[in-house]
Each structure stands twice: as structure tokens, then as C-alpha cells.
Amino acid sequence: MTFVLTEEQNMLKEAARDFTAEQLSLKYFREKRNAGANGKDPESWNSMAEMGWAGVLIPEEFGGSEFGYVGLGQVLEAQGRTLAPTPLLQTALIGVSAIVLGGSDEQKATLLPKIAEGKITTALAVDETAHHTPANTSLKAVATGGAFTLEGKKTFVANGHFADLFILVARTSGEPGDTNGLTLFMIPRETDGLTVTELNTLDYHGAANLTLDGVVVPNADVLGPVDGGWAILEPVLDRACIGLAAEMLGSSEAAFEMTHEYLQTRKQFGQLIGSFQSLQHRAAIMFSEMEQTRSCIAAALNALDQGSDDISELASLAKARASKLVHLVSNETIQMHGGIGMTDEHDSGFYIKRARVQEALYGGEGYHRERYADLLGF
Amino acid sequence: MTFVLTEEQNMLKEAARDFTAEQLSLKYFREKRNAGANGKDPESWNSMAEMGWAGVLIPEEFGGSEFGYVGLGQVLEAQGRTLAPTPLLQTALIGVSAIVLGGSDEQKATLLPKIAEGKITTALAVDETAHHTPANTSLKAVATGGAFTLEGKKTFVANGHFADLFILVARTSGEPGDTNGLTLFMIPRETDGLTVTELNTLDYHGAANLTLDGVVVPNADVLGPVDGGWAILEPVLDRACIGLAAEMLGSSEAAFEMTHEYLQTRKQFGQLIGSFQSLQHRAAIMFSEMEQTRSCIAAALNALDQGSDDISELASLAKARASKLVHLVSNETIQMHGGIGMTDEHDSGFYIKRARVQEALYGGEGYHRERYADLLGF
Amino acid sequence: MADGMDPALDAFRAETRAWLEENCPPSMRTPQTEDEVVWGGRREKFKNPESKLWLERMASKGWTAPTWPKEYGGGGLSKDENLILQQELKRIEARHALNSFGLWMLGPVLLEYATHEQKLKFIPDIVNGKIRWCQGYSEPGAGSDLAGLQTKCEDKGDHWLINGQKVWTSYADEADWIFCLVRTDTSVKHEGISFVLFDMESEGVEARPIKLISGSSPFCETFFNDVKVPKDQLVGRLNGGWEIAKRLLQYERSNISATGFGSARSGSPELPEIAKHYVGTTADGKLADADMRSRLADVMMADKAFKLTIARSAEQAKAGEEVGHTASIIKYAAAKLNQAKTEFTVEAMGAQGLGWEGEGYSEHELMAPKAMLRAKANSIEGGTSEINLNVVAKRVLGLKDHKG
Amino acid sequence: MADGMDPALDAFRAETRAWLEENCPPSMRTPQTEDEVVWGGRREKFKNPESKLWLERMASKGWTAPTWPKEYGGGGLSKDENLILQQELKRIEARHALNSFGLWMLGPVLLEYATHEQKLKFIPDIVNGKIRWCQGYSEPGAGSDLAGLQTKCEDKGDHWLINGQKVWTSYADEADWIFCLVRTDTSVKHEGISFVLFDMESEGVEARPIKLISGSSPFCETFFNDVKVPKDQLVGRLNGGWEIAKRLLQYERSNISATGFGSARSGSPELPEIAKHYVGTTADGKLADADMRSRLADVMMADKAFKLTIARSAEQAKAGEEVGHTASIIKYAAAKLNQAKTEFTVEAMGAQGLGWEGEGYSEHELMAPKAMLRAKANSIEGGTSEINLNVVAKRVLGLKDHKG
């Protein structure tokens, strides 16, 4: 079954929705925002790890539940509903995928149990310019006998402002633009020569820029083959796109529901605004887009669990459509709420701010449209 | 004044509207279509020439009125309203421009008076593949002492199925893609080695494919400098785009008016369909697009009369916006008319069929979007 | 239903397979061609004689309507048996023995609303393809507002007398009988409509084919001038036709939804191939026109998203989940998608996509603009996109009309 | 009006030029900076002392309101004289001496609707910038439906008593007086509205700034709790305020239409430059991202089409042609365009367009997302785009409402 959840997956979905609604509500998000948390919330992550969600993709032998991507997608969708800034995507999906796909037995045995317990969070450091173009990596890593020395910068590392461990892409050979010659390194936060600049982002989730000035990484912390990092990075980015798309679907759903509610309560000219045909049609069109995007994301999550050979196509499809959806819905949410939606005290603003970050991260609609064309060979 | 017509221009506009409404009505177009005319209608062209419209751009010394592009634009807009297939654009605008811009005194003296009198119609033969890319011209012209010999094909030559004289772009040096090395030739219809294949086009206007098999053109019939034809061709194509855009504006206007009328008469569910808000908004959006496109076309026509230095930008702007407009309006015309708009007996179909040809000719919205970016330097 | 779960079903599968092996003629296992499609009826010519044989054999078992009661000529199969039959037919790639509005639309409502006598009279000839039916719904003044129909049906004691006009009657010029909505009470709207059946050879019936902007079409204008109809040919309750009409529209829409528009047109080259052919490619194999490439990717993604949505809806329905929400947007999305695809094809073909007939164009090229034009009706026929969006807004999203 | 056509006007031009040369301080001929804009009023601080001088000198001639009658402090200029004044001001690139809702909106309606005494009392202080006005229109329950306002104004014999709440009151926290729509009859809708003026320092008035999604804003929520207003501060007829309100909205919209949104923000780099900077270019100077390049061209063309439309409308108006049709779509188009431009800027900046504050971003970069967010209000404020489209459909296209 591709599109129908199993009983266990449904239970996880319910649990995640209950948890985020209660413990990671928009009200809670607002309080944290007002307190200047900038997306840092270790307590909530501890609770999520206790629920087992840090280990949804981790093999049982390393302390996880090995429950799969469809399951994790349900949790990501739930946290997307309330815009909760958690390390779930970066750690439980991206970090774990990278280690499972590229890690040695020893690396797995050392790291995965700690991740499952919620003791370590990770962050993927890939982009170096304002736009996502992973093959353009130019940050240099030079082999110096038993170790590599890294020099350069990384920008907009999601979760980078609090992650314990960076999974960082560097160039060990070749030129920017080559997919050959990339290598993944694991670098603890407290490493000499690594400077982490915390960013206060639009969406109040935060992020970081990294500067590496003579950072020495022992060979033991190389993840996967030297020069062959693309073979891990690309599937990891596909997973990142699909997971993020699931989160975006949740955000779109919740913003749509809030708007739908408003259409049914707000009156103008003595009529519910939801009785005006032009708003009815626009709401129906949003609904149509949402239903179709949901199909793409479900198919992509399922393809990951099945190990299908069209994962990359589905990843770009899911991310492109989710970007389009969340853009449309976040704009319509404000327009249909009118003035109140423009005020900081209303939640509309949170959705549009988060939407623009979600859209850009790992490539927006335009990037994935181009990639889809590449993948389909035209 | 850029946007306000002079009294004389207004009189020409009125005259053209009256003429097309009476003598080139849609009813007349349908009769001709049913009779298989495929756009050929020499009688109407005689009448138009008698009105002086063949010579609107022709200098007075050669028998024209030298009334300018804004004036000609009014006539083109008027004939666009009733979709009239006439040689006006090809002859009075394109042919005359080419001869005025590139012709020798002798060529002007020979040809322009005949054109002004309606005795000669012309057709520009430029494209060789399915898409408009003039620099890609590959049809070869080889100098053979006192003459050139031409070999190759031209596709979709508008008016080519009845024109008396072809203005044809050929390559005298360089490679397809080069703007250098192009030369314009004037070739009478009855020339040895020239085969004209009449095309029955979607819009019932007709066109032709040309095959040149050892066609010999004397040096006297080269238009402008050998190898330097681009300097004439490019401004001629800009004029073609602007004139065609004026025609498209007329078509959009008339289709919009027909739809507007239907919105105010057709009832469903006991209500005029024009009272449904979603149709009201869509009608208002069409109107907004039309008003803005009108500004672009007026500015472009005026720039031609002024000899401004931004003619190319305005030409691409006008053609791109007109393509977008006529596409939108022709689709909405059918959708808002519902079933009746799908029937051949209704005029909706004529507008959409002509629209698709207008869009493609001399490059559609996509082509001119790209060209606009080129011209603006990004 | 996996094999080996139920011995009776296993036996049914074995019998079915054997029967099909023996009875499905060889040419009926080749891809269907347009001109060999069998619609049945008095004027069916069976261009391929094996089509006739195949229909007779299938009809003899009631397998053109496998789940209908045997009493009325149907196959009497259970759902599970029918599933097996369909699997076996697919296994040998058998053609449909019969295409028919009778099978798809009329039959199901007759089974639900007709009297025993009416069922006996009409259903067997639907199953065996002897009578071809057409549908008399739309009228010139009543498009989206179907219930605004005016075709008058008067009670003349021993017969009904029908006067009026229908439009968009598919194949009215080829059908034998019509099922038709008529007005039996002019004082109310929905409650004044009845559902009647009559022979298209009745005196006073005339069908004129409609020419579309895309060329000839199966649609007709159909005129009724003092048509006399026997009293026992009204189905269901007098003035109770609107309920039947709505049920029938559900069957019609689910037919469209199951496939999407235009997806049946197999054998035509894929959009990227068309674009590459007419636009050319760069040295690294990309479409030469970057602007068009982006838009093609958009269309391809919309296509994929739509197909996945169809698959999701089908799978969820199978699993017994509520799919009304998803299904509600499918016709709207299908129309939009098919319009985008056919428009893109015309644009990609450039000048070669602008021909109407005659020299200078291939057959594929001449089909492209006609397909684009025909697709404009996708957002009109079977409920306009506007009506579709109204329905989504009201029934799915629960938005109310203006009050007062 | 060409020079040399009218000797009196030539003389006026010469005098004006001479006066300006002498009286316009040097710093008032430099580009206006945001923090030196003069809004007038009791709390105006005149950050630049020459601003004060410039205002005093211009006001002394009535040239802050050049065409208003001298009797009320205006300049008393004819249209032609005013044209010359504006040309001469432009020639030396003089700053506006005074920006004020009083000048743009209230003054014109006072001239039309107020009594002579009211004019004498209020207009001179608008001209000289002594009193700064704000506008009390929208209410929380009445956004697009402005006439649904509930702020109560009761006749207490020797004064009006006002209770209620306004919202989106621009600069209410900085203004001295308010012009305000209030309900003087609850039994009817439009005919129960009056137009009153009162001092914001009156007891019972409170203004609280509204924080927007884009950050701080000039907007306030404004509360009226038993505010006593003298009887002679009601303008026009009791219950006749709706007519004044509509007239005033015309002045507001024509102000927006004259410039478009955001076009005042000068000095920021052009979109193509931004895109090239953040996205990079190919060897031949094209934007490296082909998909984005197409979309940028779209935005640039929309921008050009809009600007040409503004120019066309202005030129036609000058020539005395009917421009209502063109003008009607300008606010709608301006909002859409400004949203497209600000969205494109954010997208082009990529990760650098996603900052809110603090390290890692330039000032320009931090402005981009705030401008994008602020632009979302362009299709809400001053009449939503939905209302705007309704108006085009009904007034320009003549489409009717549902009947019955």
C-alpha cells in the first residue's frame, strides 16, 4: 500500500498530532519567540526523544524503532502544523540518514544510540552561497596524514546554532561544480578553529553561519568514502527534501484550516465572507492544490521505505509542489484574514515567515523544477 | 503626447473601425471561411488601398500619406477586432518598413508607389524551423556574378500564399546563429525555382511554405547591404511585433466585448451569469490586463514615430504582453460562453484559433520574455 | 483476494481462464483501434467480424454486465468473482466487448428505480448490445443549471406528449433509444422533472450533429416535435426524475474521474519528446529554450501529481477510506491538466502546430491544435469547473451561500 | 502651457523662481531623507532646522496648499500658476515643505462641506502645519464594509458623546486631531453616519500602536471612552457623513494611484542587479538561474506595463479624456506588482533574504523580507483587491448584482 497508513503508522500520526497540539502549540511558539529563544528548545526535544521520535529511522540494534520514513513523515507533518522548531528533520532524518547510508559500523555504534536517546543533535552544513547548489561546494579539506584540515565558510545551517555535531560537505578534490571530489566530515561543535555565528532568522527558528579556520578533522570522522561523498549527499538531500515537504504540508494544512475557520465566522456586509463566491473558488483551488501535493508527498515517503528507483524525481516533485502550496496558502491566509492577518498578534505572520524559509531550504520551486527536468532528461 | 491621439489619428481610427465593422465583419469572415478562401480576399485589399491604408507609412514623394505608426496601429487594431485576413501588416507595415529602411532610391521609387496603390502585396520570409529564431537562418545565397543563387526552405510565411513579392532573409556568410552574414532579397512570386506550398492554417488566414531550388536573384534585387541584413531585419521585426500586437489588442478587445455582452444577457439559476462574483472578478482581471497591455502598445507605436532608442524593448514588451492577453481572453471567452462557445457556429472559436497563430508569429510570450531579459542585460 | 484463499474462487478463476482461452477470438486480444470500438445497437456494423462473435459470447454469459442479476441478462457475479473476471480479461489483454451508455449509466439506475417489467424490457438489450442508448439532459437554456430544463412532457391520458429541444446529446444520431429528462410540472423546478425512455425512431424526433471548434463531434442537437411516448416508459415516480438524474450524473462523473481527460489517447509521443523534436536541444541534451523547459517541467509535475492523486484516491477507496474530499477535485484538476498539456503541445510544435488540414503538416501535427481546442470543453462538459469549485466549496469545505 | 503664451504667467514664473532662489534653504534642495520628513503638528521636532524655516516660508505664501483660497490661508493660485509653481519646485529639486493628511484628504472635503466658521477654524492650521490630523475610519468589525461601523456618537444636548473603537488609524499616536466617521443613527446603515472632528487630547481618547508582521508601523488601535465633542465640530449634515467619507476615499485612492506602492523607496538597487549579485551570471552575462531569469523578465515587464499605464492615465487626464476606466485598475495592479517585486527580491537573495535582525545580514538584506511582508497589506489597505475588483466589475463593466 502506498497511500494508506498502517494501523501503527496511524497511531504514530495521532500521537504526534496530540503532542504538537498540546506541547508545541502556536501559543507556546509565540511565548518562546517573545522570550527570544530563536528556535532553541532542548526540553521539548527531550520529550520528543522520550516518545521515541529521534529514533524512528534508527535500526533496532542501535536503539531505534526502525519504523520508517512514512512514519517519520507523520511526525514531521504534525510539527509543521504548529511550526515547531525542533531538531527532528536535521537529526532524526538528515543526520541519521547520513550516518546509516555512509557511516562505518563503528560510527553507527557510537552515534546512533546517542541520537536515539536525544543526547546528540546534528546539523547538515552544505550551502556556501545564498542559493542551494550542493555541487558548487568549494570549502577545502586537505589531507594532512591521519587528518584533514578544513578552511572556508558555510551559510544558513539549519539548527546550526545549537547542534552538537555538524555533518559538513567539503571538497577534497575537483572544482566547484563537480559532483566528484566531495567528502562528508563529522565535526563536533566544540572544535578548534570552528566559529558558529548564530543567525536570527525571519521564521524565529534560527540558524547559523560557520567559519572554519584550520579545523582539523581526524580520518576517523570522515563519513563515507573520501571524494565519493556525493553518493551519500544526494540521497541525504532527497530525504531532506521529502521530510521538509511533509513538514510544509502540515504548515499548509494548519494555515488553510485557520483561514477556513475565519471564512466561516468573519462577517462583512452582513454576510459570512466565506459566502462570497470568489473566496469560495479560491478556497476550493487551494484545497485542490493541497490534495494533489499530499499525494506527491505520500508517494515520496513511501518510495523511501520501498527503496524505489524514482526517489530523486519524487523528492524534487514533493519539494517543488510543497513550496508552491505553502507559498499560495500563506499568501491567501493573510489576504483572506485582511487587516488582522497583518498584525503581529495574529498567527498568519508566523506561517508566511516560516513558509519563505521552508521554500528556500534545499532549493525552492524553481530549483526543483529545473532538477526535475534534468532527471527526466529534457 | 505619447498616449493621446491627435484629431487626425482619431479620425483614421474611426474610419478603420467603421470599415472593418461594415466590410470586414465576422459574418463576412465566416462566409469566406465557409467558401474556403483561406485568407485570400483581393477585393477587400483594393478597398483598403483606396482608403489609403496601404500607404500610411509611405513617404509622400512615393505616393503615401506618411501618416506614421500610431496611425497604422489604429487600422491594425480595427482589423484585429474582426480577425480580418488582409495584407496590411505584411505589406503596409513590414514590406514598406523593409524597403524604406533598406531600399535604394531606385527600389523605393519602383516599389513604394505600387504598394501605395495596392497593386503589390509583400510577405516576409524569415523562419525556417517551427520556431521563430531569425539569427538561425541557414538558407544559402551564393554570389555568382551579378546575381545570387538561393537554395533552401522557408516555413509559415504569412500572406505567402498570395503575396506578389517575397522579402526573404538568406545567409550569404557565417553560420546559423550569427547575426552577421545575413542578406535580404526581394523575390517575385513567379520566379523559376521557387515553389510556394499553400498552407491551410488553424486561423483560416492561410500561409505558405517556400522551397527555393536554384532561385537566381539579380544583385539589383538585394535589399540593403550584403551580409548586413540584420541591421534592417531586426528593426523590421520590431515593427512587425508592434503592429501585430496592435492587431492582437483589437482581437482581445472584441472577444472581451462579446464575452462582456454574454455575461449581461445569459442567465443560469435565474441569475445573469455576470452577477456571479467569481466571473465578475475574472472579467475585472481581464480588463486590468487589457488596459495595461494597451499602454504598452501605445508606447511602442509612439516610440516608432519618435524614433526612440528603446524600440526593441518596447517591441518585445508589446508582443509578450499582447500574447499573454490574447491567450487569456480567448480562453476565458470560451469558458464563459460555456457549451455554445465550443460550437463552430459561434465566433468564440475564431478568436482562439487566430490567437494561437498571433501568439506564435514572430515569437510568443516566452521568446520575448527571453529577449527582454537580453535587452535589459540580465 | 489472494489466490488460494477460497477454493470456490480458485475454481471460478480456472473456469474463467479456460472459457476465455477458448472463446476470446485472437484479434480481440490485440490493442483496440478507434474504428473497431463496438457501441452496439441496431446500426452496429462490426467492422471486424470477430467483434460480433466476442460480444455474442460475452453477452451470452452476461459478462458485459458481470455483476447485474442473471434475471435481467447480467452475469450475476459476486464482487470477488467480477474482480477475478477483470483480472483474467486483463491478463490476455482482451478488448472491451461492448462500450455503452446503457452499461455505464442507464443500467445502474434502472436496476435501482425501474419496475420489474421495465427491467425485463430494457436491461437484457443493454447487456447484449442490441439497443444503443443516448442521454437527453442539457438544453440550450439550461447548461450548468440542468434543472432549468424546459422540454415539456404532457399527460395525454394514454400517452405522454413531448415537445422541446436537447443539446449535447452524444451520439443521438447513432443511438436507438434515449433516456431523457423532461418537465412534467412547470409550477416547481426540481420537483417537476421526470425521467422517460423512448425510441429515437418515434415520429417527431430529429437529431442534428453539432460541429465543434475542433471539428466534427459525437454531439447533437435533438428536437422533439409532438413525440408520443407510451405511459409505461416513465421510470420512477412522476416528478421524481431529479433524484434519478443526480444519481446518473454521479455515474457519469466517476467515469471521467477514473481516467482523466485525454489519458486514453495512447500512442502519441510524450511531451518532452515533442518539445525536443520541435525546439531542439543544447549540447548537454537540455531543451534549447530555457523558458519553455521550465514550463514543460511544470506541466510534467502537474501531470505526475494528478496521476498520484488518482492512484491515491483509488487505493483509499479500496481500503474503505473516505475519498469524497479527494474525488471532488479530480474533475477540476483533470480539465486543467489536459488543457495545459494540449496547449503546451501546440506551443512546442510552433508553426507546425498551427495547421488545420492539407499539405505541410503530419497527421500528429494536425491533431495537436484540434486536441487543444477540444480540451477547452473539459472544463465545461459534465459540470463546468465553476460548478465543480462551487461544489468543493459548499459540500467539502462547508461554506454557506449568502443568507437572505 | 508653453512659455511665452501668456505674459502674466511668464511674470509669475519669474517671480516664483526668484522667490524660491532666495527662500528655499540649501539643505531643502537635497534628496529627502526618511527622518527629515515634516508632518507638522504640535509635536513636530524639525530635526533639520531648515525644514522649519522652509515650512514657515512656504506656509506664509500659502504654497503648501497653493490652490486653496487665500481667505483660509491657501495660496489662491490658478491651475496654471500652480503648474508653474510645481515646475519651479521640481527644477530646484525642492523637498515637500509639508506632508499631511490634512492637506491631502481633510482640507479638500472641508472646502466642500464645512461651514465658513469651520473653515476659518481648521484650514489655516492645516496650511501652516500647526495641527497634524489622523483619519478614524476602519473599525475591527468593519474592514471592507466600512459603512458597517459602530462607533457611537450620541447627542447630549450641548455636546456629542463618543464611544467606540477605530483601527488602522495611521499616526494616531502622533496626531493632534482626528477626522472621524461615527454612527449617529443605529436604525439605518449608510444614512446613519456622521463626520466629526475632535482633539486627540480630549479625555477618553487612547491610541495604541499596532505591531505588524513586518515590524513596527504607523498604525494604531484607537479607543474612545465617553469622549465629549463640541456640537460645532460635526461637518456637513447630521447623518450625511457617508457622502463625505466616499469623497475622502477618492482623495486617498488617487494619492496611492499617483505613485504605486513602494515606488517611493528610492536608492535600493534594481531587481536585475540584486538577482545578479546573489545568483551569479553565466559567461555571457545572463542570470545563472534560467528559471529565475524568466520570472524576473516577467516582473520587469509587469513593472514597465504598470508605469506606462500610470503615464497614460496621467497624460489622458491632462488632455481632458475620460480616465476612470484606466484609473480603476491601478490600485489593484499596483498592489499585485509591488507584491511580485518584493517577493522576487526575497527569493533572489536566497538565504540572505531570510534574516530578521542581528549578525550575518546587511541592512538591505534585512529590509527585503520586511518589505515583502509589508507589501501583503497593499491588497488590503485603502480598499482590498477584492473590493477593487468588485468596483471594476460593477462600475466600469456594469455587471449587476444577483437579483432577488
Side-chain angles (χ1 to χ4, degrees), chain A residues 233-295:
Chain A
L233 180 61
E234 194 179 32
V236 165
L237 289 172
D238 282 340
R239 281 153 178 76
C241 284
I242 294 168
L244 181 53
E247 187 191 304
M248 294 161 83
L249 177 63
S251 305
S252 304
E253 268 170 25
F256 179 78
E257 286 166 17
M258 181 172 78
T259 306
H260 183 221
E261 174 71 22
Y262 194 69
L263 290 174
Q264 293 176 293
T265 48
R266 169 75 170 175
K267 283 188 177 180
Q268 291 278 274
F269 304 103
Q271 302 288 351
L272 291 171
I273 60 172
S275 69
F276 287 94
Q277 196 192 30
S278 76
L279 296 192
Q280 289 186 345
H281 280 196
R282 281 156 51 190
I285 288 168
M286 270 197 279
F287 182 77
S288 168
E289 289 295 315
M290 197 158 64
E291 283 297 308
Q292 294 187 75
T293 303
R294 187 188 304 283
S295 310

Side-chain angles (χ1 to χ4, degrees), chain C residues 289-308:
Chain C
D289 182 330
D291 188 285
M292 201 184 277
R293 182 173 185 260
S294 288
R295 287 181 288 118
L296 173 57
D298 248 351
V299 175
M300 295 305 288
M301 289 204 277
D303 188 49
K304 183 77 178 179
F306 177 76
K307 284 177 178 150
L308 290 170

Side-chain angles (χ1 to χ4, degrees), chain A residues 120-173:
Chain A
I120 288 182
T121 63
T122 66
L124 180 69
V126 52
D127 294 331
E128 299 174 10
T129 64
H131 291 273
H132 179 67
T133 41
N136 279 359
T137 296
S138 70
L139 188 148
K140 264 227 165 85
V142 179
T144 49
F148 286 80
T149 302
L150 281 66
E151 292 281 344
K153 287 168 189 272
K154 291 287 175 184
T155 57
F156 210 86
V157 178
N159 287 23
H161 53 320
F162 62 79
D164 305 294
L165 183 72
F166 294 101
I167 297 171
L168 184 143
V169 193
R171 182 161 295 285
T172 39
S173 70

Side-chain angles (χ1 to χ4, degrees), chain B residues 229-244:
Chain B
W230 186 256
I232 302 159
L233 179 62
E234 194 178 32
V236 166
L237 288 173
D238 282 339
R239 282 153 177 76
C241 284
I242 294 168
L244 181 53

Side-chain angles (χ1 to χ4, degrees), chain A residues 3 260 275 281 291 374 377, chain C residues 276 293 312 315 390 397 402:
Chain A
F3 298 106
H260 183 221
S275 69
H281 280 196
E291 283 297 308
D374 288 340
Chain C
K276 284 180 176 180
R293 182 173 185 260
R312 177 162 75 94
E315 196 183 290
N390 285 347
L397 302 179
H402 276 347

Side-chain angles (χ1 to χ4, degrees), chain B residues 129-331:
Chain B
T129 63
H131 291 272
H132 179 67
T133 42
N136 279 358
T137 296
S138 70
L139 187 148
K140 265 228 161 82
V142 179
T144 49
F148 287 81
T149 304
L150 280 65
E151 293 281 345
K153 288 169 188 271
K154 292 287 176 185
T155 58
F156 209 88
V157 179
N159 286 23
H161 54 319
F162 61 80
D164 304 295
L165 183 72
F166 293 102
I167 296 171
L168 183 142
V169 193
R171 183 161 293 284
T172 39
S173 70
E175 294 298 320
D178 296 350
T179 52
N180 290 323
L182 298 177
T183 305
L184 299 183
F185 295 91
M186 297 192 294
I187 307 175
R189 182 178 200 80
E190 308 301 334
T191 296
D192 283 348
L194 173 64
T195 310
V196 178
T197 306
E198 177 163 353
L199 299 174
N200 291 285
T201 57
L202 179 60
D203 58 350
Y204 312 113
H205 279 218
N209 287 345
L210 308 186
T211 306
L212 287 80
D213 184 8
V215 168
V216 175
V217 183
N219 288 355
D221 291 344
V222 170
L223 188 67
V226 172
D227 287 348
W230 186 256
I232 302 159
L233 179 62
E234 194 178 32
V236 166
L237 288 173
D238 282 339
R239 282 153 177 76
C241 284
I242 294 168
L244 181 53
E247 186 191 304
M248 292 161 84
L249 177 64
S251 305
S252 305
E253 268 170 25
F256 178 80
E257 286 166 17
M258 180 172 79
T259 306
H260 184 219
E261 172 72 22
Y262 194 69
L263 289 174
Q264 293 175 292
T265 47
R266 169 76 170 176
K267 281 188 178 181
Q268 292 277 275
F269 304 103
Q271 302 288 350
L272 291 171
I273 60 172
S275 68
F276 287 94
Q277 197 192 30
S278 77
L279 295 192
Q280 290 187 344
H281 280 198
R282 280 157 50 189
I285 289 168
M286 270 197 280
F287 182 77
S288 168
E289 289 294 317
M290 198 156 66
E291 283 298 307
Q292 294 188 74
T293 303
R294 186 186 305 282
S295 310
C296 298
I297 291 162
L301 288 166
N302 196 263
L304 289 176
D305 280 339
Q306 302 302 321
S308 313
D309 56 7
D310 58 351
I311 289 171
S312 289
E313 282 100 309
L314 288 171
S316 280
L317 178 70
K319 184 62 177 31
R321 296 290 296 197
S323 296
K324 185 178 176 177
L325 176 68
V326 82
H327 194 90
L328 172 71
V329 173
S330 61
N331 279 339

